[in-house]
Amino acid sequence: MSVLGNILWYFPFLGFLTALFTFLVGSLLTVLVVTAPIGLGLIQLSKFLLAPFSYSMCTSAELQREQNKAWKAYSTIIMLLYLPIGCILAVMTIFQIVLLAISIIGIPAAIALSKAVGTYLNPVGKICVSRQVAEAIDREKGEAELQKYQQA
């Protein structure tokens, strides 16, 4: 089913162009060095947009990755500066989602883009992972939640 979703994403809706545009913007921001945290997140988003039905976006915290404290503080500052641009990109993506959802065949593409709205808004620290990894993370969260209820 995910292969069919990715094919629909590519051909009628030209999803690879969205991925290419996101990759180019992310590469430009990474080359500028000052905006590297945003650029790296957008490059991860472009990887997700190449096959949105096979991948998922998650945060570094969900993967329990250690980050340098200076890099984390710098990323937060850059993220605050990026926020107005991120809001504009998120609104544009929501507009695109609404237009896609009007037709029945556009609903899968709208679902794929709806997964990317949060990353457009805040790409810092986001990582593209396979669906299996995302499901394992969700399962761990569910088990932790269950243990809270069992201990209470």
Side-chain angles (χ1 to χ4, degrees):
M1 190 65 181
S2 65
V3 173
L4 180 62
N6 288 330
I7 291 171
L8 283 174
W9 171 249
Y10 279 138
F11 294 111
F13 302 109
L14 303 174
F16 61 91
L17 292 177
T18 305
L20 178 66
F21 173 74
T22 305
F23 178 77
L24 292 175
V25 171
S27 297
L28 175 69
L29 292 174
T30 303
V31 168
L32 293 175
V33 179
V34 173
T35 54
I38 296 166
L40 293 172
L42 289 177
I43 289 172
Q44 289 292 316
L45 178 60
S46 70
K47 180 181 173 185
F48 166 76
L49 290 174
L50 280 176
F53 294 94
S54 301
Y55 291 109
S56 183
M57 295 299 293
C58 66
T59 63
S60 296
E62 290 174 334
L63 290 174
Q64 299 172 348
R65 293 175 100 187
E66 289 292 323
Q67 285 187 339
N68 185 338
K69 292 184 182 194
W71 176 260
K72 196 171 181 179
Y74 177 69
S75 297
T76 303
I77 293 167
I78 293 298
M79 184 55 227
L80 291 174
L81 296 173
Y82 170 80
L83 194 59
I85 297 167
C87 288
I88 292 169
L89 287 175
V91 168
M92 287 173 44
T93 305
I94 290 170
F95 183 70
Q96 187 178 5
I97 290 168
V98 169
L99 290 177
L100 285 170
I102 290 173
S103 68
I104 292 175
I105 197 166
I107 292 174
I111 291 170
L113 273 178
S114 68
K115 295 177 187 177
V117 172
T119 307
Y120 274 121
L121 187 62
N122 178 12
V124 175
K126 298 288 176 99
I127 299 168
C128 179
V129 296
S130 67
R131 272 195 1 224
Q132 291 82 10
V133 172
E135 289 171 0
I137 291 170
D138 289 340
R139 202 171 22 259
E140 284 179 11
K141 286 181 183 177
E143 289 173 3
E145 192 71 26
L146 177 63
Q147 287 178 356
K148 285 181 187 176
Y149 283 108
Q150 289 175 341
Q151 291 175 356

